Amino acid sequence: AMMNFEPGSLMKPLTYALALDRGLVLPEMEIDHGNGVWAYNGTKLYDVPGATGVLSVAKALAMRTEIGAGKVGHMMWKDRNIENILRLGFGRKVGGGTIYGEEAGIVWASNRYDTVTLTRLGLGRGLAVTALQIANAYAALANGGKTVAPHLVMKIVSTNGVASVYKAKEPFKKVISD
């Protein structure tokens, strides 16, 4: 919760989930990986071994390809609307201020991202997150798109010494579709 880092490939499944949610891609849609090098706006992105030719979105995600995530990220953020990144909890304290020392991470204002960096957001570059934010975003994927602010609980024990089930104080918030 207290240390920012660049998420790298941890961002790839989240990028694909957001793109699926927005209807920008379908699992069977094809992405051209060419010969494993994507030249875009004066830069080159090199892919993982074996990621060449045309691959489906599902296959590109399974292989964790750089070009697939870069191209899907380009579709996601070419209009510079990074609201969906914020929706997953990046750029803010997901613990709602209840976790001591929690950092907000770093997500720049959309006008600070150049066109190349926008293609790299899908690869987890160009932003900084905390492990708690990543865990919270993945928990939302595993929980049908619903999230709740994480908080620390050592244990809950009734007056007769029996441990009870903890219920979140906040209602679940839908951040992505099923």
Side-chain angles (χ1 to χ4, degrees):
M2 294 191 274
M3 210 163 131
N4 291 318
F5 65 96
E6 199 172 61
S9 288
L10 292 171
M11 191 68 182
K12 290 177 184 177
L14 300 171
T15 298
Y16 283 100
L18 289 168
L20 285 164
D21 189 51
R22 284 187 58 194
L24 296 175
V25 298
L26 296 170
E28 63 276 4
M29 183 179 140
E30 295 179 335
I31 301 172
D32 186 3
H33 289 70
N35 63 353
V37 180
W38 179 35
Y40 175 77
N41 207 21
T43 65
K44 290 183 179 179
L45 184 61
Y46 297 90
D47 221 326
V48 298
T52 58
V54 177
L55 302 173
S56 70
V57 165
K59 181 75 172 176
L61 172 58
M63 290 180 69
R64 301 178 66 92
T65 69
E66 298 285 299
I67 291 173
K71 288 185 173 184
V72 170
H74 179 259
M75 284 187 267
M76 286 288 299
W77 298 298
K78 66 182 176 190
D79 60 0
R80 296 187 185 276
N81 179 2
I82 58 166
E83 177 61 33
N84 42 41
I85 290 176
L86 303 174
R87 192 174 69 194
L88 288 178
F90 302 126
R92 66 178 172 86
K93 296 178 180 182
V94 294
T98 63
I99 299 173
Y100 176 78
E102 182 184 1
E103 294 286 332
I106 301 168
V107 178
W108 295 342
S110 59
N111 63 351
R112 289 194 59 195
Y113 287 103
D114 62 33
T115 56
V116 172
T117 306
L118 289 168
T119 67
R120 302 312 194 252
L121 285 174
L123 309 172
R125 301 180 195 149
L127 73 159
V129 301
T130 65
L132 184 61
Q133 289 171 332
I134 286 287
N136 192 55
Y138 272 87
L141 291 184
N143 195 31
K146 296 179 284 187
T147 187
V148 67
H151 31 291
L152 303 175
V153 177
M154 185 182 299
K155 62 182 172 179
I156 297 176
V157 180
S158 67
T159 54
N160 63 1
V162 177
S164 61
V165 175
Y166 179 74
K167 301 280 186 198
K169 295 178 185 176
E170 296 179 22
F172 285 100
K173 180 180 176 186
K174 190 81 163 171
V175 295
I176 194 166
S177 69
D178 295 351

